[in-house]
Amino acid sequence: MNKLFYGDNLEVLKKYIKDETVDLCYIDPPFHSNRNYHQIYNNIGKEDTAQTQAFLDTWTWDDHANIGLAEIQENYLGHFTTQAIDLINGLTKVLGKGSLLAYLINMTLRIAEIYRVLKSTGSFYLHCDPSASHYFKLILDAIFCSQGGDYKNEIIWKRTSAHSDANRFGKNADRILFYTKSNDFIFNQLYTPYEENYLLKNYKNKDKNGYYKSDDLTGAGATNGDSDIEWHGYKPSKRSRHWAIPTQPIINLVGIEKAKKLTTKEKLDLLLENDFILFTKNNTPRFKRYLDINKGNVLQELWTDINAISSQARERLGYPTQKPEALLERIINASSKENDIILDAFSGCGTSIAVAQRLNRKWIGIDINYQSISLILKRLEDSFGKEILDLIELNGIPSKFMVQPCDKIQIITVKDLIENQKRLDIRLSFEVLKSAEKQQQIKSNQMKLEIEV
């Protein structure tokens, strides 16, 4: 059964998520560069005050940060590697005990728990911005790579076409760090369509099997052995090359297991028999790459084809950090299969949950705000019908908050309160301003490393 938790994700992970039970985790935590702009919720009550305080404490050096630092240094519950402990000790000396270190400790505690709950074949995607991505890579290396995991990609997502900044190059891209818990992991190769101009330029040839382009059967550099056999009078090493035969057509013809056992000669003969090879005037064999069996360009780590959600988009829910469903669909399709368990520990408005449901995955969502929980439930009901609610296990959610599910979220930001003097419930305003003032009392010798968006 799918699970939705209301509460602090660190406590939920520790208490309710068992070791090695998650196939894929994606998180989109609040960005450090946005710490004074993060959303809070314009309601009345102590719950809102507590949630606002929790968000602001993420970037404040206080008792919570000291406790978190001690947990890491003392290796609480044995969840922290020697490399992670040494890294945090080093960052404490370099950064000082201020907002950035508080943020990194806050995230290190959670990343260590995410590592614990991932299956050995699991993958982790961390969505962040450039102001802290270099620190996150160090943390992830210390937690994942030191225990047999692996860094795979730093995905660059171009979220807007342009961004005007007066004194620097425009910042229009996020980072998504991709790590795996081991070298035995799920990865489904994805493709992007060729552009029309590329097709017109490259796929000019046609035979009975369709349009094709002439491609290399060899790679640069001479080798010995099976990759340098002479075939139909052509020997690659005479031209400082070696055989580099495309694997997918072979697999399509005989299956993956048999393909592994074929020699170079057998592969070349098989391709020739099935009309995948042509010979040039000087008798050089070339591969006929057919358009109708070609899936497109292999997806690279620069993603420019998924736009941010526009103000008029149907999927827009009023959540300022909402990500497009196409982005999560790509990640989930790449690193999971049907019935796998997807975890989002910062669920927000539930984009990853909605996509996981649509792609027939199981899921676990966590958020510290009850309005987010309500919004997720309404989103699922609107997309999949009221019966979907019977298939969700709700945890820690006060029933009185679920009486009137919300369609949209009304947002007020800390920036609005401080700079634009927007009105808010007086009790909540007092708590928010008190926390904001607390942030501004950071020691003067603290290194200022923030980069504003």
Side-chain angles (χ1 to χ4, degrees):
M1 178 173 284
N2 299 316
K3 298 180 180 181
L4 194 55
F5 291 89
Y6 164 60
D8 182 342
N9 53 21
L10 182 59
E11 295 305 311
V12 171
L13 286 165
K14 286 180 177 179
K15 294 180 180 179
Y16 300 107
I17 312 299
K18 296 181 180 179
D19 294 359
E20 298 195 350
T21 54
V22 171
D23 295 285
L24 166 64
C25 177
Y26 165 88
I27 63 171
D28 179 20
F31 293 170
H32 178 256
S33 60
N34 278 347
R35 68 186 183 283
N36 287 328
Y37 298 80
H38 200 279
Q39 68 273 11
I40 59 173
Y41 301 85
N42 189 7
N43 279 309
I44 299 173
K46 63 181 181 180
E47 292 83 8
D48 297 277
T49 303
Q51 291 156 15
T52 301
Q53 185 66 54
F55 277 127
L56 292 172
D57 282 348
T58 302
W59 302 285
T60 304
W61 192 268
D62 56 10
D63 290 343
H64 292 290
N66 278 315
I67 292 171
L69 177 59
E71 283 191 19
I72 296 170
Q73 291 174 328
E74 297 168 10
N75 196 11
Y76 179 69
L77 297 179
H79 290 171
F80 302 98
T81 63
T82 300
Q83 292 86 341
I85 295 169
D86 290 344
L87 174 62
I88 293 300
N89 284 334
L91 289 175
T92 302
K93 295 177 181 178
V94 172
L95 302 177
K97 292 182 176 181
S99 66
L100 179 54
L101 185 64
Y103 176 69
L104 296 176
I105 287 174
N106 182 292
M107 292 304 303
T108 299
L109 294 168
R110 286 154 176 80
I111 291 170
E113 288 298 320
I114 288 169
Y115 177 88
R116 176 185 63 80
V117 304
L118 277 176
K119 294 179 182 178
S120 61
T121 54
S123 298
F124 180 44
Y125 289 78
L126 192 157
H127 196 134
C128 57
D129 73 342
S131 70
S133 60
H134 47 301
Y135 293 112
F136 278 134
K137 287 182 76 174
L138 290 172
I139 293 168
L140 289 165
D141 283 350
I143 294 174
F144 276 75
C145 298
S146 65
Q147 301 181 82
D150 198 15
Y151 161 74
K152 292 303 178 184
N153 292 99
E154 179 177 353
I155 299 163
I156 311 296
W157 174 45
K158 183 182 176 184
R159 51 182 164 75
T160 60
S161 57
H163 195 285
S164 179
D165 290 312
N167 58 356
R168 65 184 177 192
F169 299 112
K171 294 180 62 180
N172 64 345
D174 289 350
R175 307 296 188 266
I176 304 174
L177 304 178
F178 171 29
Y179 281 73
T180 60
K181 194 168 181 177
S182 72
N183 287 318
D184 179 18
F185 61 98
I186 295 171
F187 186 75
N188 305 306
Q189 189 66 261
L190 302 182
Y191 301 84
T192 56
Y194 288 126
E195 295 182 359
E196 185 175 355
N197 289 339
Y198 175 86
L199 295 177
L200 293 174
K201 181 180 178 180
N202 290 277
Y203 286 87
K204 297 178 180 179
N205 304 306
K206 186 179 181 180
D207 63 13
K208 62 181 181 180
N209 296 318
Y211 287 96
Y212 68 90
K213 71 171 183 175
S214 174
D215 215 343
D216 282 330
L217 273 170
T218 60
T223 60
N224 298 316
D226 195 45
S227 62
D228 186 40
I229 64 163
E230 183 172 337
W231 185 75
H232 282 256
Y234 182 86
K235 189 170 179 62
S237 60
K238 290 182 178 180
R239 304 187 186 186
S240 298
R241 299 185 70 81
H242 65 277
W243 292 112
I245 303 169
T247 57
Q248 195 58 52
I250 303 294
I251 293 173
N252 291 344
L253 290 169
V254 299
I256 189 169
E257 294 303 322
K258 187 174 181 180
K260 292 177 182 179
K261 301 175 183 178
L262 296 180
T263 64
T264 295
K265 181 180 182 305
E266 289 170 335
K267 291 177 183 178
L268 290 168
D269 289 342
L270 182 65
L271 290 178
L272 182 62
E273 291 171 9
N274 287 274
D275 205 19
F276 279 97
I277 292 178
L278 60 84
F279 291 89
T280 65
K281 292 180 180 179
N282 63 359
N283 202 43
T284 300
R286 301 276 294 174
F287 177 63
K288 295 163 73 173
R289 191 177 295 276
Y290 286 96
L291 178 61
D292 60 346
I293 65 167
N294 207 353
K295 297 179 180 179
N297 286 310
V298 173
L299 182 62
Q300 306 297 301
E301 62 182 14
L302 176 61
W303 295 359
T304 61
D305 58 329
I306 297 177
N307 297 322
I309 299 175
S310 71
S311 59
Q312 304 301 315
R314 291 185 63 184
E315 65 180 277
R316 188 175 183 85
L317 297 170
Y319 207 86
T321 58
Q322 182 180 350
K323 302 303 185 291
E325 289 194 4
L327 184 70
L328 273 299
E329 182 174 340
R330 176 169 290 177
I331 290 171
I332 292 173
N333 275 329
S335 291
S336 70
K337 58 185 184 298
E338 287 194 5
N339 293 315
D340 278 355
I341 297 177
I342 314 300
L343 167 67
D344 187 345
F346 294 84
S347 294
C349 62
T351 299
S352 61
I353 290 173
V355 174
Q357 182 69 38
R358 174 161 55 83
L359 296 178
N360 296 317
R361 271 65 168 176
K362 299 174 184 177
W363 51 262
I364 301 170
I366 311 170
D367 204 274
I368 198 172
N369 190 277
Y370 61 80
Q371 280 192 321
S372 290
I373 301 298
S374 180
L375 182 65
I376 291 168
L377 293 172
K378 186 65 167 64
R379 181 176 189 171
L380 292 172
E381 181 181 352
D382 289 345
S383 299
F384 305 103
K386 194 169 184 177
E387 60 275 9
I388 190 67
L389 302 181
D390 296 329
L391 304 176
I392 300 172
E393 178 184 316
L394 300 176
N395 295 272
I397 302 173
S399 59
K400 65 179 180 178
F401 299 141
M402 297 294 103
V403 175
Q404 295 180 333
C406 57
D407 297 291
K408 304 276 184 180
I409 284 185
Q410 298 297 319
I411 297 295
I412 273 189
T413 67
V414 178
K415 180 186 178 185
D416 287 331
L417 287 172
I418 297 173
E419 297 180 10
N420 302 331
Q421 297 182 346
K422 276 200 173 182
R423 296 183 62 83
L424 193 64
D425 171 73
I426 186 65
R427 288 169 292 173
L428 183 54
S429 295
F430 175 75
E431 294 295 333
V432 172
L433 291 172
K434 185 171 68 174
S435 295
E437 289 172 0
K438 186 178 180 182
Q439 286 189 17
Q440 296 169 358
Q441 293 171 358
I442 297 170
K443 302 296 184 182
S444 60
N445 62 353
Q446 177 190 339
M447 295 178 66
K448 186 176 182 181
L449 299 176
E450 308 96 36
I451 301 175
E452 293 183 355
V453 173

